[in-house]
Amino acid sequence: MTNINNKWAFSEIPSIEEANFDKVLERFFKMGINGLVRENIQNSLDGKLNSIKGPVKVRIETGDLERSRVPGIEEITAHINSLVGRNGYTKEAITYMQKKVLAKNIRYISFEDMNTKGLAGARNGQSNKQSDTWSAYAYSKGVHAELEESEQEKSRGGSHGVGKIASNSASDIHLSYFANCDERNDQHLGGNIQLIEHKLDDKFYRSTGYFAKVEKTSATQTRFKPYENNFDHVFNKETRGLKIIIPFLRKEYDDEVKIIVSVIESFFIGIIQEKLEVEVNSHLINAQTIQKFIEDPKYFEQEPKNIKKDFTPLYFNTYKSEPKPQKLIVSNGIKDLEFDLYFHYNAEIISGRVAIVRTVGMKIEDFKVNNNVRKPFNAILIGGREEDQYLKSLENESHTALEVDHIKDEKLKKQAKKFIRNLNKEMAEVIAKAYEDENPTDGLINTENVLFTVENRFREALESTTGTVLVNNGNKIVKSPKKKSKVKPGAGNEQPEKKGPTAKQDETKGKRRKPTKVATPQDGAQDADGEPTSAGKFVLYPESVERLILANQEIVKFNLKNDDQIRNASTCNIEIAVVDGMGREQLNEFNLDENYQTAFDLATGEMCPIENQQIKGVTIHDGEMDLKLMIKDRFNRALKFMYYVEVMK
């Protein structure tokens, strides 16, 4: 380990082996402000002081900062300037970082919490003690420091140990700091930067650098130690708790309105229950003020009929209008888990969702109940400590969905799948009952006469077209008719009688209909010269698509030979719409990322990107396309699809 006299410490390696940035950075960057806000506020809630009766308080601040006030910035600049990209993505990212690190005035965002424990054991630096949470947070990757209080540990939001990198993804140069004040009033500053493995001054270094001094513990060993916090006031933390500071803030994250929306969207229950209070610059969001923000069209859509994505106003109304929740029992096959269900039926709602919420007050996801996403309801599901512990085992690493892909134990994975199936089943029954209660019948209908009439007419129609045979008790039975000759008696050389489809139908039988154009080139995206990038979008008829679903994959074959505009193209993008039980297309109800892991073009063997609800760059060879889609466990094999093809120029 080198750089002992420097502010930043990078561990030496013998050679460069990994030439890519940490993939977790990209995942959190895609989540944007939501991922950043969720991770940092969740960490604050997890660190609540049990001795404090009031809520956890979080202050979010954005502002301007002179580059020279960033601790150790010149050393960081030297390391960034030494980076060498070995593929298109890293080259572009490095060029961008090298430009941004030289800016004289930069933007920053900070998250400071109060009524929290802060990190323990900072004065010990890098250690193996479980109680030293500073060491786990500051110097370890993929490590989740567990609390000694087992009951509190069950309700904590974090579990994967990768969320701390969310702060790095919000910085143009992947840089973040954390200031800590513990129970002893020890104040320290740490930080880290996520680069790629690189060479500087004839030495090779790991990708991660730590804002720490290096202390020798023996002739051959060293350890990281934090700095006492005597830095600029932006980096200070003088009251017990933790403060995250992210300099070189990305422009996409620098939006006060979106920050406020994200806070309320993810933590509305915690705020209403007075477990959390958040101040965004000069805006205070607490149990007394949250309604003002939710009812302000600047932040949230107010009309239920227009709410298709952010359901927070509906959840708020559901929680307030249904003070006594009903109990919902969901089994995983081994254990019954009991939840409080706040359920509201409203005919004006066009998209039904269930907010699954942890006891700390954080929403995990807007759960879609199978075959009920277009039902007029809204619901909130909250469990207890045991339910929290189980839900935590199902969460993905960003805590935004219940999934099973990350569970390695097959027995536990099977139980998790059953839990999610039963959750769908139990919720579907609640929705069905609510529909019946809201749409009662006017009374029982006596159907005896109707059935008698239908039965007699059916019998008469049957007897008129078939022969009958009398049996010795006088009853009749139907005799199967003999096959009639295709040539009428005495007809000579007349043609056989035409049966089944009409002549016109017979002519078109077996033919494929041409795809129908639904968008012209001018309707789509344009290149730098203003020219359309596609030749149009077409909807395919069912006879043009063949699907085969196997254990964990779906094979889809497209036959486009019946249309010259498509057949002669080389590539296309594919969109998928779900067809509901009424035969109507639901364009935005099937999320490709949530249902497919990857897509492969069987003609080329290459992987096709899944972006913006499209499968990109599928090749068209002689009017045909063949795809192999690797499906996720949550994929519903019973769904019917309509396919749209955007033909690229």
Side-chain angles (χ1 to χ4, degrees), residues 26 41 55 93 98 130 192 201 211 228 297 327 339 344 374 376 413 427 437 476 487 501 551 609:
E26 185 177 355
I41 294 183
Q98 290 172 343
Q130 185 173 337
N192 68 73
D201 297 334
F211 185 69
E228 291 186 11
K327 296 297 181 181
F339 296 87
H344 183 62
R374 287 296 180 183
K413 180 178 286 190
M427 280 305 309
D437 293 342
K476 297 178 181 179
V487 182

Side-chain angles (χ1 to χ4, degrees), residues 67 78 111 131 147 223 242 261 265 267 278 328 423-424 481 558 561 605:
R67 175 181 179 276
F111 294 79
S131 59
L147 298 177
R223 66 174 177 174
L242 187 67
V261 169
E265 182 184 34
F267 298 97
V278 182
L328 190 76
L423 178 57
N424 276 288
F558 300 85
K561 295 182 178 181

Side-chain angles (χ1 to χ4, degrees), residues 371-641:
N371 302 317
N372 286 274
V373 294
R374 287 296 180 183
K375 298 294 176 63
F377 78 93
N378 183 259
I380 302 169
L381 194 72
I382 307 176
R385 297 277 189 187
E386 295 302 318
E387 288 71 26
D388 257 12
Q389 186 178 29
Y390 189 71
L391 290 178
K392 182 159 63 171
S393 71
L394 304 187
E395 290 177 16
N396 59 12
E397 63 184 20
S398 56
H399 315 292
T400 57
L402 300 182
E403 296 179 353
V404 300
D405 294 341
H406 62 278
I407 301 176
K408 305 304 180 185
D409 187 294
E410 288 301 322
K411 183 178 179 181
L412 295 179
K413 180 178 286 190
K414 184 177 180 181
Q415 293 172 17
K417 290 179 180 179
K418 189 162 189 175
F419 173 83
I420 294 175
R421 285 198 303 269
N422 284 338
L423 178 57
N424 276 288
K425 177 185 174 184
E426 297 296 336
M427 280 305 309
E429 291 179 2
V430 172
I431 297 165
K433 185 179 183 302
Y435 179 83
E436 292 174 2
D437 293 342
E438 291 290 328
N439 300 276
T441 58
D442 293 331
L444 296 176
I445 301 175
N446 189 338
T447 61
E448 289 183 2
N449 291 335
V450 176
L451 294 176
F452 176 79
T453 303
V454 171
E455 182 183 358
N456 275 327
R457 288 180 178 173
F458 175 74
R459 183 179 297 160
E460 291 169 2
L462 184 62
E463 290 182 354
S464 66
T465 58
T466 61
T468 60
V469 176
L470 289 175
V471 294
N472 59 4
N473 61 0
N475 292 329
K476 297 178 181 179
I477 63 173
V478 177
K479 183 177 75 175
S480 176
K482 294 180 180 179
K483 290 185 179 180
K484 295 182 180 180
S485 172
K486 293 185 179 180
V487 182
K488 295 180 181 179
N493 293 325
E494 291 180 4
Q495 294 296 319
E497 181 182 354
K498 194 77 176 177
K499 294 206 174 186
T502 63
K504 184 176 181 180
Q505 290 173 323
D506 191 58
E507 290 173 3
T508 60
K509 184 178 180 181
K511 291 186 177 180
R512 299 181 186 273
R513 290 172 287 180
K514 286 187 176 183
T516 301
K517 180 178 282 191
V518 294
T520 62
Q522 288 73 24
D523 297 330
Q526 297 180 341
D527 60 21
D529 298 322
E531 294 295 322
T533 57
S534 73
K537 186 185 293 185
F538 301 79
V539 60
L540 304 184
Y541 290 101
E543 60 264 28
S544 298
V545 184
E546 297 179 58
R547 297 173 62 200
L548 174 63
I549 301 179
L550 304 174
N552 63 342
Q553 59 186 270
E554 177 184 9
I555 307 299
V556 189
K557 183 180 181 65
F558 300 85
N559 189 325
L560 313 174
K561 295 182 178 181
N562 207 29
D563 192 287
D564 292 340
Q565 295 181 83
I566 302 179
R567 185 178 68 242
N568 296 329
S570 59
T571 61
C572 69
N573 299 331
I574 297 175
E575 298 176 15
I576 300 178
V578 173
V579 179
D580 64 20
M582 302 297 292
R584 295 171 300 196
E585 297 173 41
Q586 305 295 344
L587 282 172
N588 299 316
E589 293 303 325
F590 185 78
N591 189 300
L592 292 178
D593 285 324
E594 292 178 0
N595 287 275
Y596 295 123
Q597 294 182 17
T598 48
F600 292 95
D601 188 335
L602 292 179
T604 63
E606 298 291 330
M607 186 172 69
C608 299
I610 300 177
E611 300 172 353
N612 301 321
Q613 284 293 82
Q614 287 187 329
I615 301 173
K616 302 277 191 178
V618 183
T619 58
I620 303 174
H621 180 69
D622 195 23
E624 292 184 345
M625 296 183 297
D626 295 282
L627 277 178
K628 179 171 76 171
L629 304 168
M630 306 307 294
I631 60 181
K632 295 185 177 181
D633 289 330
R634 67 184 301 166
F635 181 78
N636 186 346
R637 298 164 185 262
L639 291 178
K640 296 181 179 180
F641 296 142

Side-chain angles (χ1 to χ4, degrees), residues 3 40 103 141 143 156 177 204 237 308 313 325 327 339 357 376 421 455 485 521 540 552 602 619 626 647:
N3 296 351
N40 283 299
K141 291 184 178 181
V143 174
R156 294 182 70 195
Y177 295 84
F204 298 103
K237 174 60 174 165
K308 301 177 181 179
K327 296 297 181 181
F339 296 87
V357 180
R421 285 198 303 269
E455 182 183 358
S485 172
L540 304 184
N552 63 342
L602 292 179
T619 58
D626 295 282
V647 179

